[in-house]
Amino acid sequence: MSAVLDNPGQAAGHGDHAHDDHRPHGWRRWVYATNHKDIGTLYLLFAFTMLMIGGVLALIIRAELFKPGLQLVNPELFNQLTTMHGLIMVFGAIMPAFVGFANWMIPLQIGAPDMAFARMNNFSFWLVIPAAVMLAGSFFVPGGAPAAGWTLYAPLTLQMGPSMDMGIFALHLLGASSIMGSINIIVTVLNMRAPGMTLMKMPMFAWTWLITAYLLIAVMPVLAGAITMTLTDRHLGTSFFNPAAGGDPVMFQHIFWFFGHPEVYVMILPAFGIISQVVPAFARKRLFGYASMVYATSSIAILSFIVWAHHMFTTGMPVTGQLFFMYATMLIAVPTAVKIFNWIATMWRGSMTFETPMLFAVGFIFVFTMGGFTGLILAMAPIDLLLQDTYYVVAHFHYVLVAGSLYGLFAGFYYWSPKWTGVMYNETRGKIHFWWSLISFNVTFFPMHFLGLAGMPRRYADYAMQFADFNAVASVGAFFFGIAQVYFFFFVALPVMRGKGAKAAQRPWNDPDGMGAEGLEWEVPSPAPFHTFETPPKLDATATRVLDNPAAAH
């Protein structure tokens, strides 16, 4: 289905010409990288490093909670661990990983030679390194790391030591990086598509990232404003959030969640895009309801701006406000359900095969739907008043962020890594990674629903005896889940990165009839050449295959 119809010198690939493949070598290739593929690789390696660091913090938390009483850490350090785990995972692991996917795949998917602003792309990556160092290094300054929760609520943030200032500065750098990356993605998608690829013919991954980029540009300055006001309260005598001087700590919550709720969708929309690429490829069918997927993604983005205060039902909100935010939150379930319906309809009566990318996609749909249902439960103000700040909330957002964002990232890695590296990962090991991750994830986080319903508050280093059994089960599950990701790195990702494995075909997911993965990324050889689509390709009517590519004959 995605075969090149008329492409002289196809074996040469689109721009894969050895004599002018100007690829720098050694450390300069990475430090001065302006090639979108190299920058994508840097982002992905950085994100996985931060995932491991954040994971170690999580395992210390779970080790402490294995049984009642204080075992390993004091309550103050425990709060530092929970705060830093959240900040590192959200801003250091999940978001940069999706930016890495965007860098790698968007130019390939839309037939562009590179990202629009190559040097700015380099700068946006190198901003995240000092930010990460500052964030992780805050453990080693007097007073230890920030311990106000990843939401950085005042007035706790006004009482922290110098590590709070490091955290604020790190978030500013990460925010600037996100905004630059978003501008790059928007300009690339809007201005650099191959002739014939209209917006409504773009792959869903490019669509979800276009909408995500607009979200980021809208909300990152809001976070910057909130943490800058915190900074001036700390050092310049202002009193935005200090109640002793007439400030209002609840105002911080309003500003933070006006950023924070769209931010949740920043972390899930690109995953929706990846799943929308993977499911049709392994169902051997076109995506069901493409236009409705685009409109649903846009609707989620717009609605995300009017639901922020559902995080604040317990702050003394008037009933009218509670009703508005409750109904708005339940409304956002509709476009999300449209997506899930479309994925299931795509699979319905398809010629499905269950390679690892499809396993992660199906696992994503199953577990993310469970997370969505618990979100609907928390959307109801009367129930949320009881469950707010309990382990039910912890279970809910890990079902959405781990089984959502992380599983989406894994599905994308398994799906596209043959194109990146030219090597097929080991299918058996990939399936072991999937089942190990799926089972241990549910063993970890499913019991937390019961802990929350029983009233166990989150961010506590100790707990009453009646919560002991479920906590022990969750802690064991967490260690197995952590080891599964180490297994993934050493036995799946590392061999592929080192080129060990069977050589990948140009279209590794297509059956002998040509059915399977569609899109321009499968029109280039595996591994993808350093330079691709230097001359804009001419596309067929579906914009999924190349009719004639002058660059190939170059």
Side-chain angles (χ1 to χ4, degrees), residues 232-249:
T232 60
D233 272 13
R234 286 169 56 82
H235 298 294
L236 300 180
T238 56
S239 52
F240 293 111
F241 310 129
N242 184 0
D248 183 5

Side-chain angles (χ1 to χ4, degrees), residues 131-330:
V133 170
M134 250 190 302
L135 206 53
S138 63
F139 273 108
F140 306 106
V141 299
W150 82 272
T151 49
L152 304 175
Y153 277 2
L156 274 175
T157 44
L158 309 181
Q159 301 157 10
M160 295 282 126
S163 63
M164 193 69 232
D165 303 322
M166 294 172 71
I168 287 171
F169 193 34
L171 289 180
H172 272 303
L173 291 178
L174 291 165
S177 170
S178 292
I179 290 170
M180 284 193 281
S182 300
I183 292 169
N184 221 340
I185 287 164
I186 290 169
V187 176
T188 304
V189 169
L190 294 185
N191 290 350
M192 298 180 68
R193 300 191 306 281
M197 181 172 284
T198 61
L199 282 174
M200 292 307 284
K201 288 179 182 173
M202 279 200 315
M204 272 310 301
F205 181 68
W207 253 117
T208 53
W209 243 118
L210 177 65
I211 292 165
T212 300
Y214 276 113
L215 272 182
L216 275 166
I217 288 174
V219 301
M220 289 314 290
V222 178
L223 174 68
I227 58 180
T228 304
M229 290 155 85
T230 303
L231 197 64
T232 60
D233 272 13
R234 286 169 56 82
H235 298 294
L236 300 180
T238 56
S239 52
F240 293 111
F241 310 129
N242 184 0
D248 183 5
V250 175
M251 181 170 74
F252 178 88
Q253 295 190 31
H254 278 290
I255 301 170
F256 178 86
W257 285 116
F258 190 79
F259 147 80
H261 204 80
E263 164 68 13
V264 172
Y265 293 101
V266 163
M267 291 187 285
I268 200 63
L269 290 182
F272 288 167
I274 292 172
I275 302 305
S276 300
Q277 303 285 148
V278 172
V279 168
F282 294 93
R284 310 294 190 277
K285 282 171 67 181
R286 283 281 169 86
L287 180 67
F288 179 90
Y290 172 89
S292 64
M293 286 292 249
V294 173
Y295 298 136
T297 308
S298 309
S299 306
I300 289 170
I302 293 162
L303 290 171
S304 72
F305 284 102
I306 62 164
V307 297
W308 77 89
H310 67 210
H311 297 269
M312 300 170 56
F313 284 144
T314 53
T315 56
M317 190 187 299
V319 172
T320 318
Q322 290 188 13
L323 285 171
F324 170 80
F325 287 107
M326 180 167 86
Y327 292 139
T329 306
M330 294 169 84

Side-chain angles (χ1 to χ4, degrees), residues 49-65 72-73 77-89 132 135-140 145-146 398 478-479 482:
T49 304
M50 296 305 279
L51 182 78
M52 290 293 101
I53 294 170
V56 167
L57 302 184
L59 293 183
I60 299 171
I61 292 166
R62 285 312 323 170
E64 175 55 56
L65 293 172
L72 302 173
V73 298
L77 179 55
F78 185 87
N79 284 340
Q80 293 173 24
L81 292 169
T82 52
T83 302
M84 295 303 290
H85 166 69
L87 288 173
I88 286 171
M89 288 302 203
L135 206 53
S138 63
F139 273 108
F140 306 106
H398 282 87
F479 274 88

Side-chain angles (χ1 to χ4, degrees), residues 477-509:
F479 274 88
F480 275 102
F481 185 74
I483 295 165
Q485 308 329 312
V486 175
Y487 173 86
F488 162 75
F489 180 73
F490 283 107
F491 294 96
V492 180
L494 205 56
V496 164
M497 287 155 60
R498 296 165 85 177
K500 293 182 177 174
K503 190 171 183 341
Q506 181 169 326
R507 294 181 184 78
W509 307 122

Side-chain angles (χ1 to χ4, degrees), residues 346-431:
T346 304
M347 291 188 276
W348 179 252
R349 304 190 74 172
S351 303
M352 295 202 3
T353 55
F354 290 98
E355 288 88 346
T356 310
M358 188 61 164
L359 286 177
F360 269 104
V362 174
F364 170 98
I365 294 167
F366 170 65
V367 193
F368 178 81
T369 304
M370 289 170 62
F373 279 129
T374 56
L376 266 178
I377 290 166
L378 290 168
M380 298 177 199
I383 300 177
D384 186 72
L385 290 170
L386 298 172
L387 295 178
Q388 172 72 13
D389 270 331
T390 68
Y391 265 77
Y392 195 90
V393 177
V394 177
H396 158 68
F397 71 66
H398 282 87
Y399 264 81
V400 174
L401 275 185
V402 180
S405 302
L406 192 63
Y407 280 20
L409 288 163
F410 283 136
F413 171 84
Y414 284 106
Y415 182 58
W416 281 313
S417 65
K419 184 57 64 186
W420 298 346
T421 62
V423 170
M424 287 301 292
Y425 63 87
N426 183 302
E427 189 65 56
T428 305
R429 292 176 181 178
K431 287 178 174 170

